[in-house]
Amino acid sequence: DQQVKQNSPSLSVQEGRISILNCDYTNSMFDYFLWYKKYPAEGPTFLISISSIKDKNEDGRFTVFLNKSAKHLSLHIVPSQPGDSAVYFCAAISRYNFNKFYFGSGTKLNVKP
Amino acid sequence: DAGVIQSPRHEVTEMGQEVTLRCKPISGHDYLFWYRQTMMRGLELLIYFNNNVPIDDSGMPEDRFSAKMPNASFSTLKIQPSEPRDSAVYFCASSSTQTRGSYEQYFGPGTRLTVT
């Protein structure tokens, strides 16, 4: 049973607009979350993370929001660029084992020029 | 730094054959992870090592899968015998306790395995 879920397999957005990628989790022991970005034929690369003691973390065009009560996090990309087209994976870590990542199934983002 | 290196990048084999995937972690990293990516389940952790010792292999699907890390710069994931349902992309990743602040794992480019 997947403990981290990304329910949207794909998302299409116009260049310059906002992209919002969502992620839900079931395990209340998760207290650190990461987003990874993956281009075709490459491995995933780290994008941004957030600790459960925060509800927002921002890095340039990328912002991650965490809603602990809803067990939900989202990644906002503003403004979206064609180079952002990739698969985005959400991952969660438990305080009891920060080596064991639980990944979602990914959301494929397509940013149209 | 060359990053995590995986070989081969593509592997096509027939059902029943033995498959060996290889990984060289980033120099100085003391954790090594093997993942499998499928459309349905995304990225699944199969096994991870710390200082060449297997720590958690609970994600290994069945006894046909085995992994070794004979030294700090090399690991293998072996499937024997292979089956069509093993077709997936297999990633190796590494990390370091020296950079625990971010918990980041660094991924290799993956090996795309096709079992016919």
Side-chain angles (χ1 to χ4, degrees), chain A residues 1-2 4 9 31-32 34 36 38-47 49 87 89 93 97-106, chain B residues 9 31 33 35 37-45 48 56 58-59 89 91 95 97 100-110:
Chain A
D1 187 30
Q2 281 199 289
V4 177
D31 60 2
Y32 197 84
L34 307 92
Y36 275 74
K38 184 186 177 305
Y39 291 118
E42 295 183 11
T45 55
F46 171 74
L47 185 59
S49 63
V87 177
F89 290 97
I93 305 174
N97 187 352
F98 50 72
N99 292 300
K100 195 160 186 174
F101 282 24
Y102 294 85
F103 279 93
S105 54
Chain B
R9 293 296 310 274
Y31 282 86
F33 308 84
Y35 288 88
Q37 182 192 4
T38 60
M39 290 295 291
M40 292 302 297
R41 299 185 64 83
L43 278 163
E44 298 176 277
L45 177 65
Y48 76 90
D56 185 342
S58 59
V89 181
F91 289 100
S95 69
T97 49
R100 284 286 92 169
S102 69
Y103 306 114
E104 182 179 350
Q105 294 180 11
Y106 296 81
F107 283 76

Side-chain angles (χ1 to χ4, degrees), chain B residues 6-112:
Chain B
Q6 291 187 247
S7 65
R9 293 296 310 274
H10 301 274
E11 177 79 42
V12 180
T13 190
E14 291 184 350
M15 183 175 63
Q17 296 298 305
E18 177 181 297
V19 175
T20 300
L21 311 181
R22 297 172 175 79
C23 175
K24 176 179 168 53
I26 292 172
S27 177
H29 281 191
D30 52 347
Y31 282 86
L32 183 138
F33 308 84
W34 282 101
Y35 288 88
R36 177 171 68 175
Q37 182 192 4
T38 60
M39 290 295 291
M40 292 302 297
R41 299 185 64 83
L43 278 163
E44 298 176 277
L45 177 65
L46 300 177
I47 184 171
Y48 76 90
F49 297 81
N50 177 222
N51 292 322
N52 314 336
V53 176
I55 303 300
D56 185 342
D57 65 355
S58 59
M60 296 286 261
E62 47 197 279
D63 292 345
R64 297 184 296 106
F65 286 69
S66 63
K68 294 182 179 179
M69 192 165 187
N71 57 63
S73 58
F74 183 66
S75 177
T76 60
L77 177 67
K78 187 175 293 186
I79 308 172
Q80 166 64 18
S82 58
E83 296 182 3
R85 60 192 168 119
D86 301 330
S87 297
V89 181
Y90 291 81
F91 289 100
C92 176
S94 68
S95 69
S96 169
T97 49
Q98 301 303 315
T99 55
R100 284 286 92 169
S102 69
Y103 306 114
E104 182 179 350
Q105 294 180 11
Y106 296 81
F107 283 76
T111 295
R112 180 174 292 278

Side-chain angles (χ1 to χ4, degrees), chain A residues 48-67:
Chain A
I48 192 170
S49 63
I50 188 167
S51 165
S52 61
I53 62 173
K54 296 184 177 181
D55 55 17
K56 177 183 175 181
N57 188 27
E58 194 171 353
D59 183 2
R61 297 185 297 113
F62 302 91
T63 303
V64 56
F65 294 92
L66 176 62
N67 183 333

